Amino acid sequence: MTRTSTMDHPSLDGGAALVEVVGVEKTFRRGAEEIHVLAGLDLEVPSGEFLALMGPSGSGKSTLLNLIGGLDRPTRGSVTVGGERIDSMPGRRLAAWRARHVGLVFQFYNLLPVLSAERNVELPLLLTSLTRGERRRHVAAALSVVGLSNRARHTPRTLSGGEQQRVGIARAIVSDPTILLCDEPTGDLDRRSADEILALLQALNAEHGKTIVMVTHDPHASARATRTVHLDKGLLEATPPEESGR
Amino acid sequence: MRFARLVWANLMRRKLRTGLTMGSIFVAFLLFGILCTIREAFSAGINLAGADRLIVRHRVSLIMLLPRSYAERIAAVPGVDAVVHWTWFNGVYRDDPRNFFGTFPVEPDAFLDMHREYELPEDQANAWRRTRTGAIVGRALADRFGWAIGDRIPLVSPLWPRDGGGAWEFEVVGIFEAAKRQADTSNFFFRHDYFDEARAEGKGQIGWFMVRVDDPDRTAEVAAAIDAEFANSPAETKAEPEGAFAQGFIEQIGSIGTILMAILGAVFFTILLVAGNTMAQAVRERTQEIGVLKALGFTGSRVLWIVLAESCLLAAIGGLAGLAAAWAITVGGSPVPALLPVFYLPGRDLLIGAALVVALGIVAGALPAIAAMRLQVAAALRRNA
């Protein structure tokens, strides 16, 4: 995996916090009922960090991840990534921003079942101006990083869970995004596959300098992160020393 | 083009459903092509009708006869360039009414001058002028019965018995071709002088006149003048443009265009529902995948175009195949030449069909595409969680 960006975008590595979440509230409506998921949350993620977000179900971990990735908007507060306020960015611009700067890894892989592994990995590159040959080279590189070069032509249903998640990671890194957002990336995997995925994320962080924010329930997974923060009832808790990472 | 693989893969996700929907669209457009061909067959006379030609018939009914002597008086009306008369002979070949075709006694020179849509070689035209019992037949009719020049054709007419009884005998002296595609080459023309002399009754009477005017802009004026010429006579006339006459003749069995359009309207409405339902299902079952695409950075409008492209591809494969099949069927000729002698799918209708294919694709895919465009990323992803 080359560190050279495949996309023509300005570096967001400003040296200070890459992600700044300030006073963020998020409320969902279910009929007449209002559900307050995040309640005035503040968070900073420095560039190059591997941050684990932990907490019980419903604590707002995935909601926070969605806000950082520009997949959702806060009810109040601001989300700034690489100096850009994304909470108030128009939808079209936000989509382009996601394509340039965010790599997403999902718990259930979310691969398109009708496409082969290499075509799934190629999807983010379809939004760039790369030629077919260039896209093919980038896809091969990404699959090589995750160790799946020999499974490029396989469709997701012929791959194991661990392999599918590696395809998901290859898709997340193929456009060399600024930040990787992983939502329970090992939640659907057995221990051995989970360890492989976590080792891969660790290598992407340590060797390729990727900033990673990972939501997890699993203390074993959070132990791989450089820092762990806990959410409960929409607020960050003080991190217990034994879980604060390496 | 870079999204073509994605569009195709999505279309082929449920092969059976896609195949059945394509099959429905195929049948609809096959039907469209065949019905357009039938409409063209019925309206060929209208389309071929010369803007400069009038039909003059008995005011009461087409089946009532007019004196042949009207020809000279019509020719004297200002603006009239040429006059020819036709009579419905109703000939039956081999005593079998199923061997139906149009049979008309005419005057060769006036007829050939008036009807330039028929091409008859000069030597055959001369043979017709020379041969009192000579007849010319259209190419389609000659092919239908395997006739060749020199064949003798006996016909019996229940309307016009021969003086002294027995069948009318004709010799094929010419075979004419269509100079224009809509020209009907399933008819049989023979000489009026032979007919008039040998018929048992009605001598000096003809069916109707065809009149050519020297200025197409004056047809209404000339028609009025002809009708005025015979007003208050025992056989008053009704003169009208040839196209209107042909239209009125066809509408004796109903408005073919309206009937066909009603059938096609029902078919296309049904197909729209079928294709729309297929697309709606296709999009609904991949809500989460659309959410993933948007999460990866696909904009709403890009997702909309991808869904519309899928819908248009579905319609295009089924629809264009249906049109091609209709064309292939009609290019083989009429399966019922006696009933529909002119049988082809006009290029104009192929273009209309192609436009309908695109319209079907857009309309069937519009609502699912808009729904996909408006889908909220986080909501779509939560459905999978």
Side-chain angles (χ1 to χ4, degrees), chain B residues 159-246:
Chain B
L159 292 180
W160 299 107
R162 193 182 157 92
D163 193 7
W168 294 78
E169 289 282 340
F170 301 99
E171 180 188 350
V172 176
V173 294
I175 297 174
F176 60 86
E177 307 282 348
K180 295 180 180 174
R181 203 172 185 186
Q182 297 100 325
D184 179 2
T185 60
S186 68
N187 289 330
F188 183 106
F189 298 101
F190 58 96
R191 283 176 52 160
H192 182 270
D193 53 354
Y194 168 52
F195 166 70
D196 200 41
E197 188 178 283
R199 61 179 159 175
E201 55 190 38
K203 290 184 193 295
Q205 303 282 304
I206 59 91
W208 64 91
F209 294 98
M210 184 169 286
V211 174
R212 186 170 66 216
V213 298
D214 51 19
D215 181 358
D217 293 335
R218 292 182 59 209
T219 49
E221 182 189 330
V222 174
I226 291 171
D227 287 345
E229 173 70 21
F230 302 107
N232 300 316
S233 71
E236 290 188 312
T237 60
K238 181 180 179 184
E240 59 187 336
E242 186 186 7
F245 171 81

Side-chain angles (χ1 to χ4, degrees), chain A residues 118-137:
Chain A
E118 62 184 353
R119 298 296 168 206
N120 267 284
V121 175
E122 188 188 18
L123 281 172
L125 300 181
L126 296 178
L127 303 172
T128 70
S129 57
L130 294 176
T131 65
R132 196 173 177 180
E134 289 168 332
R135 293 201 303 270
R136 198 173 294 159
R137 282 195 293 280

Side-chain angles (χ1 to χ4, degrees), chain B residues 88 90-103 141 144-145 154-158 337-339:
Chain B
W88 178 249
N90 199 33
V92 175
Y93 180 52
R94 289 174 180 160
D95 286 336
D96 186 350
R98 285 175 300 182
N99 291 334
F100 172 82
F101 48 88
T103 44
L141 183 61
R144 181 180 165 195
F145 292 109
L155 297 179
V156 173
S157 170
L339 190 62

Side-chain angles (χ1 to χ4, degrees), chain B residues 360-381:
Chain B
L360 174 67
I362 291 173
V363 175
L367 286 180
I370 290 169
M373 179 182 73
R374 291 179 175 166
L375 195 65
Q376 296 298 313
V377 187
L381 293 176

